[in-house]
Amino acid sequence: LQPGYDFVVDAIDNVKAKLHLLHRCVSQGIAVVSSMGAAGRLDPTSIRVEDLSDTHMCPFAKDVRKLLKRKYGVNTDRYTGITAVYSIEPDRTPVSLTYDENTNGFLCVCPSKENEFHTCDHRTQINGSVAFVTSVFGMNCAGVVVRRLAVERGGDALGGDVHLVRRDQVGADRGAAVPGLALHPLVGPILVLA
């Protein structure tokens, strides 16, 4: 990470990359909000926002806490400064896929078939996600950033509206004209990267 970022939104699914980013943010004192596991969840009202150390009922957050402590020495037993968006809903067990009823259910189409790491039966278990849950995870992440930056800049945490603007509507005094720019009257431009 280069210095100068006001906030980092972590929505990485790869655990190794997520751990590296979170460690860098903590070690450099960069504010970060991290999206935890949304797969296998169907209830958007079960989503919570807390410090990573206070998360519960989320196996992914538990793994992140454990690995940050073991691999990077981050004390996750106390306040970490990492805001976590997670769900208290138990994840659902995926159901087996059935592609071909003529073969008694699942027909493996993997080019390498079974090997020492995977079996075709194991590959049928897919932890899917649904847009009405993952979108609420993302909205919570965005809300954390806007509220925190608004407060830091002397505004009311709930005051002001967020205005989405087109590239051609952004004036030179408001920053570079880029797609995906949200403009908040107290915060200024917020770049949303996917």
Side-chain angles (χ1 to χ4, degrees):
L1 280 177
Q2 299 297 323
Y5 289 100
D6 291 323
F7 223 102
V8 171
V9 176
D10 159 41
I12 301 172
D13 289 333
N14 179 287
V15 176
K16 187 175 182 178
K18 179 181 281 292
L19 294 172
H20 179 74
L21 178 64
L22 293 176
H23 174 254
R24 295 287 298 217
C25 288
V26 168
S27 64
Q28 293 183 17
I30 299 172
V32 60
V33 59
S34 182
S35 179
M36 296 293 140
R41 301 329 195 281
L42 294 175
D43 182 7
T45 66
S46 294
I47 296 170
R48 302 292 183 266
V49 179
E50 296 178 309
D51 186 79
L52 181 64
S53 63
D54 294 328
T55 58
H56 56 283
M57 295 188 62
C58 177
F60 190 65
K62 181 180 179 181
D63 288 344
V64 168
R65 285 194 316 267
K66 179 177 69 174
L67 291 168
L68 273 174
K69 181 186 280 188
R70 185 173 29 167
K71 293 184 179 238
Y72 292 98
V74 176
N75 186 351
T76 56
D77 295 328
R78 60 178 177 77
Y79 179 80
T80 63
I82 300 168
T83 303
V85 177
Y86 70 102
S87 177
I88 59 171
E89 177 186 7
D91 57 338
R92 300 173 186 279
T93 304
V95 295
S96 296
L97 301 173
T98 53
Y99 291 121
D100 191 325
E101 294 300 324
N102 295 330
T103 59
N104 291 328
F106 178 73
L107 172 63
C108 181
V109 294
C110 305
S112 59
K113 301 291 180 200
E114 294 185 15
N115 61 42
E116 61 184 294
F117 302 109
H118 301 284
T119 66
C120 291
D121 286 335
H122 174 73
R123 291 180 188 191
T124 66
Q125 303 300 304
I126 299 171
N127 289 323
S129 59
V130 293
F132 59 83
V133 172
T134 56
S135 64
V136 176
F137 269 74
M139 291 296 173
N140 274 284
C141 289
V144 166
V145 173
V146 169
R147 285 190 309 273
R148 184 111 26 105
L149 291 178
V151 168
E152 284 177 9
R153 291 182 169 73
D156 177 357
L158 301 176
D161 295 325
V162 173
H163 304 282
L164 295 179
V165 295
R166 292 192 321 263
R167 181 188 330 208
D168 59 320
Q169 292 176 318
V170 179
D173 61 325
R174 300 297 277 169
V178 293
L181 185 71
L183 197 57
H184 188 281
L186 297 174
V187 178
I190 302 166
L191 180 59
V192 180
L193 302 175

